[in-house]
Amino acid sequence: VAEQLNELGFQVEPGMIMTSAMDVIAYMDENLPSGSTVLVVGGEGLRSAVAQGGYTVVDSAEDSPAAVVQGFDASVGWAQLSEAVYALNGGAMFFATNLDATLPTERGFALGNGSLVKAVENATGRRPIAAGKPEAGIYLRSAALVGAENPIAVGDRLETDIAGAVGAGVPSMHVLTGVHQARDVITARRGQRPAF
């Protein structure tokens, strides 16, 4: 993420980055003992973040994980989702890095993590503790990470980027490069209206 931002002309160090995978670790830290076993449903970035957070990563519900954490990766399929269901039905706690229903791609909107989380919810009746946008925590932790005194949140999605900023009490700026366009901003409901 830092490399990409530097390529765009920003001066960013890796220690200035807060991802939803990092944010979910903060929620896990509030709810799980350090070193707990965690079934990761997602990609290598999430697996790495969970391991670096002091948790033991497992791949099977047969390892009796204390928690399941679900994040987006294009490789997630039936087998991983089913392991999550088995673990949750066995009593594991449930965390998700975000609940974005869709993911913009060059071809249009594809399934996002929230849609895959809904499949697990449907099979278990369990809702996750969700990190990332629109939860206020990621905004507040990001600002604290860089010592921001007057932060602004920039985003293109009203129900996540902007709603999260409003909930966190952080001014927001909407950009027209993604999901919602000018008409959507004009007709946005209360709680999803950007400051700029």
Side-chain angles (χ1 to χ4, degrees):
V1 174
E3 283 180 24
Q4 184 179 16
L5 290 170
N6 283 318
E7 287 174 9
L8 294 171
F10 295 96
Q11 294 180 347
V12 178
E13 298 293 325
M16 301 167 77
I17 302 298
M18 168 67 72
T19 66
S20 61
M22 295 163 67
D23 191 43
V24 81
I25 300 301
Y27 286 104
M28 290 167 57
D29 289 346
E30 295 171 0
N31 292 278
L32 294 172
S34 182
S36 295
T37 55
V38 177
L39 174 68
V40 175
V41 176
E44 193 52 44
L46 180 56
R47 292 175 66 83
S48 177
V50 170
Q52 289 176 8
Y55 298 98
T56 302
V57 175
V58 297
D59 297 314
S60 172
E62 292 180 355
D63 294 316
S64 301
V68 170
V69 60
Q70 186 172 349
F72 180 79
D73 189 77
S75 68
V76 170
W78 179 87
Q80 279 188 302
L81 295 175
S82 293
E83 286 301 319
V85 170
Y86 299 141
L88 293 171
N89 286 337
M93 292 190 72
F94 190 17
F95 298 89
T97 59
N98 68 77
L99 298 178
D100 289 351
T102 59
L103 179 69
T105 71
E106 296 81 23
R107 295 176 54 197
F109 293 103
L111 289 172
N113 193 55
S115 293
L116 299 174
V117 167
K118 283 286 186 193
V120 174
E121 283 185 25
N122 186 52
T124 63
R126 303 269 307 277
R127 293 187 55 109
I129 295 171
K133 304 169 294 181
E135 303 303 320
I138 194 165
Y139 295 85
L140 301 175
R141 281 188 270 282
S142 296
L145 182 69
V146 297
E149 294 178 14
N150 190 22
I152 186 167
V154 179
D156 66 2
R157 197 171 190 138
L158 297 173
E159 80 280 4
T160 56
D161 302 334
I162 305 306
V166 169
V170 173
S172 61
M173 178 171 46
H174 185 270
V175 293
L176 303 175
T177 56
V179 176
H180 292 111
Q181 299 303 307
R183 181 176 189 76
D184 302 310
V185 174
I186 293 167
T187 61
R189 63 182 185 187
R190 187 181 177 113
Q192 295 184 2
R193 296 179 186 148
F196 304 99

